[in-house]
Amino acid sequence: MFNYFHYRGVCSLDLGVLVSDAEPWTTKVTPETVTIPGRGDALLGYEYSNSDAVYDIIIRKTGRDTLTDAVERVRRWLLPDVDYSPLRDSYNPGYYRRAYLPGGLTVTRDGLHEAVATVTFSTMPFKYADGGDTAIQARNGLKLYNRETYEAAPLLKITGTGAADIFIGSHALHIKEIGGLVYIDTEDENAFDDTKGRNSDITRVVDWPRLSPGETVVQYDGAGITGVEITPRWRSL
């Protein structure tokens, strides 16, 4: 079996690109301490930052193409960019990371029939489970089960009119006015509809809602609610 990666909707194998080696997906974790005046201790927290996903690849010419043609085709596919796209590979089945290419393709050696190159992606800290991007119609009292070892930050879609209260486990959100449609992105900590920001319509109690490992109950209260959708976005480090 050949190893591969999948990026921008293209599988490397389809372009004659094999992965010979890869650095494991890792997450950079930096401890942070916050000193509170009047206390003799400090609160400990953690900051997660982007890390590199590095692939050593072999580019092989296919059909009547020359090796130069094959390398150029791969180079065009892997031009540097600043937009994040899903990155999957054969080493981590069932998961993807959000990544971009800061430097493009670096060819280190070429011969008559194949070239050796390195591709380095910059990836967001979390890896996301396939299937976690599917929206779930949430009835009142829905029980969601997080099989990952890290909390998920869901996307909520609320439709209807008037005020509403949304309860995700022990976390609560109050919506002053649904106004037809409002999205609440708990990962970006942002609320919006199809045309504008809606943060001023949202009041949260303490933290933004999270789906902790294990079971979480979803409840809501509001006479004008016509629908609640949750995209869980299961994730892990």
Side-chain angles (χ1 to χ4, degrees), residues 195-218:
T195 61
K196 61 184 180 300
R198 297 284 303 280
N199 285 342
S200 61
D201 287 328
I202 307 298
T203 303
R204 58 188 172 86
V205 179
V206 190
D207 297 322
W208 290 83
R210 295 289 186 266
L211 300 173
S212 299
E215 186 179 270
T216 299
V217 178
V218 179

Side-chain angles (χ1 to χ4, degrees), residues 174-186:
H174 176 69
I175 306 172
K176 298 176 185 176
E177 173 57 56
I178 300 173
L181 166 68
V182 62
Y183 293 96
I184 302 173
D185 189 332
T186 67

Side-chain angles (χ1 to χ4, degrees), residues 109-164:
R109 178 171 57 85
D110 56 17
L112 292 176
H113 302 290
E114 63 182 33
V116 177
T118 300
V119 185
T120 302
F121 294 90
S122 179
T123 67
M124 287 185 175
F126 296 99
K127 63 179 181 181
Y128 295 86
D130 289 338
D133 290 332
T134 301
I136 299 170
Q137 297 287 341
R139 65 184 185 280
N140 214 343
L142 171 70
K143 296 179 180 179
L144 292 174
Y145 194 85
N146 183 0
R147 300 181 183 278
E148 302 297 329
T149 57
Y150 198 85
E151 62 184 15
L155 173 68
L156 311 178
K157 177 184 177 182
I158 318 296
T159 55
T161 58

Side-chain angles (χ1 to χ4, degrees), residues 31 47 50 74 78 95 104 108 110 158 162 164 168 184 187 205:
E47 178 182 352
N50 276 25
V74 176
L78 298 176
Y95 291 90
T108 57
D110 56 17
I158 318 296
I168 310 292
I184 302 173
E187 187 171 52
V205 179

Side-chain angles (χ1 to χ4, degrees), residues 26 64-65 76 80 84-85 89 93 95 100 108 114 117 120 124 128 150 167 171 190 193 201-202 206 208 211 229:
T26 57
R64 297 183 179 181
D65 284 349
R76 289 195 300 269
Y84 286 92
S85 297
D89 66 26
Y95 291 90
Y100 75 95
T108 57
E114 63 182 33
T120 302
M124 287 185 175
Y128 295 86
Y150 198 85
F167 304 94
H171 299 279
N190 191 30
D193 59 25
D201 287 328
I202 307 298
V206 190
W208 290 83
L211 300 173
E229 287 185 2

